Amino acid sequence: MNSGWAKGLAALAMIAALAACNRGPEAGNAEADANLQAGQAFLEKNAKEEGVQTLPGGIQYKVVRSGPPGGESPDGNDLVRVDYEGSLIDGTVFDSSFEKGQPAVFTLDSVIPGWSEAVQHMKVGDEWIVFLPADKGYGERASPEIPANSVLVFRLKLLDLARTPGDGSIGRATANG
């Protein structure tokens, strides 16, 4: 791993903090129910859009740019460096490494399930728009930035990966999905 990744470790701490603040009390109110219904309707319509593909777990994605042929895909043990922007389906951006000017560095077992699953299908150099159903994001947990049961939209750019020992089974998605 090169020394440039050290700066990215600070971004990992930021992602962990974001994840922790979104683990708040369960939201069982009308707004959460309305968000779930709106999200399901959005995903049904989005699935029919040109270029949108769906992984077996229900995550939708659209390839913006493919990396060079023969690029590697990470497994659940690998350290990855990713540029990202997260938004709600109404376009409200809640976090962006692009805006901060610093890619995030993390292992795939330290992020929400949808990120882990989607990134394992990407190859270094790929850039995708990923649409995460509520249960692949924060589900019923709400935060000031992300309402309960929100579909999350991420622009993800897999910049690099560093292999780490292990069998890759942590959150490993099917390779052919």
Side-chain angles (χ1 to χ4, degrees):
M1 182 175 351
N2 70 38
S3 63
W5 281 42
K7 292 179 182 178
L9 292 177
L12 173 60
M14 178 277 312
I15 287 176
L18 178 62
C21 78
N22 287 309
R23 305 281 185 212
E26 298 295 318
N29 58 30
E31 182 183 9
D33 293 340
N35 287 341
L36 187 59
Q37 290 177 358
Q40 289 170 338
F42 171 85
L43 290 170
E44 286 174 20
K45 181 179 180 201
N46 193 58
K48 298 172 188 167
E49 294 292 324
E50 184 177 342
V52 172
Q53 301 177 57
T54 304
L55 297 172
I59 294 171
Q60 297 175 358
Y61 69 97
K62 186 172 185 172
V63 175
V64 174
R65 182 175 305 114
S66 293
E72 291 185 283
S73 293
D75 68 27
N77 289 322
D78 294 333
L79 191 64
V80 296
R81 190 166 57 104
V82 177
D83 258 328
Y84 70 91
E85 179 172 271
S87 63
L88 305 175
I89 58 176
D90 69 2
T92 302
V93 174
F94 56 82
D95 196 12
S96 174
S97 72
F98 292 103
E99 185 177 300
K100 294 172 186 170
Q102 182 64 50
V105 177
F106 55 86
T107 57
L108 294 177
D109 64 344
S110 66
V111 294
I112 56 177
W115 264 57
S116 181
E117 185 176 336
V119 172
Q120 289 181 67
H121 284 84
M122 297 176 74
K123 297 193 181 306
V124 172
D126 284 356
E127 182 175 350
W128 291 4
I129 304 296
V130 178
F131 307 90
L132 303 182
D135 66 332
K136 299 290 185 170
Y138 296 105
E140 293 183 349
R141 295 175 203 101
S143 76
E145 299 86 14
I146 303 171
N149 288 331
S150 292
V151 167
L152 304 178
V153 181
F154 285 96
R155 175 180 160 209
L156 299 175
K157 190 172 185 180
L158 181 56
L159 302 171
D160 204 359
L161 68 88
R163 296 280 181 208
T164 56
D167 67 4
S169 63
I170 299 171
R172 182 69 174 154
T174 58
N176 295 325

